[in-house]
Amino acid sequence: MKRAAVLVCAVVASTACLFTPAQPAQPTTGVPAASEVRATPPSLAAPPQKELAQQIVASAENGTLNWRSAYAYIEDIGDGQGYTAGLIGFCTGTHDLLTLVERYTRDHPGNALARYLPALRRVDGTDSHAGLDPGFPAAWRTESAVPAFRAAQDKERDRVYFNPAVAKGRSDGLGPLGQFVYYDALVFHGPGGGQTSFDGIRARAMQEARTPAQGGDEAAYLGAFLDARRRAMLSRHPGIDTSRVDTTQRRFLNEGNLELQPPLQWQMYGETYRVP
């Protein structure tokens, strides 16, 4: 499978996996009362919208709209995060792959990956393959043929990335496009308050524009968030291709498609994708 060369794993600290939903914004001077603020927006978690979200992310992560083809993917792409694997880019160096295998092994102790848990714990936080080569990639591909492991990947994706993004986006008054913008940022940057992590990006965006839940304009806030995210991407990886912001999410925003409704067309790393 062709993997997008610019993929960078989300850096997920062990404590960050328990992502706490934001509390509703407190009324401040100049912010409309709750009755004046947009009603609770529709959720990206509705099945057709969630499927669309996975397709768009897969165009960035895997160079395909067929996101289900990525379960067995595994490769060291040279980004300093060790092996990148699975449908959302779990990494041996960023704790999320270790967490996935630990959780899966609790329910399926005889799986092909269980024997690598000691090595995965040792290399966590590094780019090392010590104890993983040469057998770990083959074991990952073997286990990815097991429906239970594919389901475990889905579950961990939702627990760490998708569900928190939807919850945080809705609490900020964002519709499906805004929730997707949060989701893709969480996948790429990971949760956490660092300057290039999701919460740090959101905090900087809120310094520039109010969220809809605070009475702000949704498009203006999303523009500020994408600006902050682009700066974070370039700060972490100077010269990186920022297609997933510039010619994908920014395009949807400029088209006024806040509900993220098909038909959609976007460019990712120079390739055009369409969803009818």
Side-chain angles (χ1 to χ4, degrees):
M1 181 190 314
K2 179 181 177 182
R3 186 74 167 181
V6 294
L7 169 65
V8 180
C9 298
V11 179
V12 184
S14 58
T15 56
C17 289
L18 299 176
F19 191 81
T20 304
Q23 297 300 311
Q26 297 300 311
T28 59
T29 303
V31 176
S35 61
E36 299 178 83
V37 178
R38 169 182 172 171
T40 302
S43 173
L44 189 69
Q49 299 267 125
K50 184 175 183 180
E51 177 71 17
L52 178 59
Q54 307 319 315
Q55 290 178 307
I56 301 171
V57 168
S59 73
E61 298 284 309
N62 303 98
T64 180
L65 296 181
N66 181 14
W67 61 269
R68 292 175 180 85
S69 68
Y71 288 113
Y73 169 80
I74 183 165
E75 182 181 6
D76 188 329
I77 60 174
D79 63 351
Q81 310 294 352
Y83 280 117
T84 296
L87 82 169
I88 206 66
F90 303 104
C91 294
T92 56
T94 61
H95 197 73
D96 55 350
L97 189 148
L98 170 60
T99 300
L100 167 65
V101 176
E102 286 180 332
R103 285 172 168 262
Y104 178 63
T105 300
R106 283 202 296 267
D107 296 327
H108 305 276
N111 73 80
L113 300 171
R115 65 186 293 259
Y116 292 98
L117 276 171
L120 288 170
R121 294 183 182 113
R122 287 194 298 270
V123 303
D124 190 28
T126 77
D127 63 355
S128 174
H129 293 189
L132 300 177
D133 290 340
F136 182 71
W140 181 277
R141 287 188 287 268
T142 295
E143 200 63 30
S144 292
V146 178
F149 187 54
R150 295 197 295 270
Q153 289 192 45
D154 289 343
K155 183 177 181 180
E156 197 67 6
R157 172 203 62 200
D158 290 350
R159 186 183 75 87
V160 179
Y161 303 109
F162 187 77
N163 293 343
V166 171
K168 180 76 76 172
R170 297 187 83 194
S171 74
D172 283 346
L174 301 176
L177 175 60
Q179 294 164 41
F180 174 77
V181 166
Y182 276 14
Y183 175 45
D184 191 66
L186 270 169
V187 168
F188 187 93
H189 297 273
Q195 289 295 303
T196 61
S197 296
F198 172 79
D199 290 297
I201 294 168
R202 176 173 172 268
R204 285 194 299 282
M206 292 175 71
Q207 292 173 354
E208 302 297 326
R210 292 186 301 181
T211 68
Q214 296 170 322
D217 178 79
E218 184 170 10
Y221 171 74
L222 288 177
F225 186 92
L226 292 177
D227 288 344
R229 181 180 173 192
R230 189 177 192 277
R231 290 193 297 269
M233 291 175 73
L234 292 170
S235 173
R236 182 186 286 184
H237 303 283
I240 193 173
D241 187 320
T242 55
S243 293
R244 60 203 300 163
V245 170
D246 299 335
T247 56
T248 302
Q249 295 167 43
R250 185 82 67 180
R251 176 171 183 160
F252 302 152
L253 179 60
N254 290 343
E255 291 172 346
N257 193 352
L258 298 177
E259 304 305 314
L260 199 63
Q261 288 293 327
L264 297 175
Q265 179 175 308
W266 68 96
Q267 283 75 44
M268 192 70 71
Y269 315 132
E271 187 170 352
T272 298
Y273 295 89
R274 296 178 181 87
V275 173

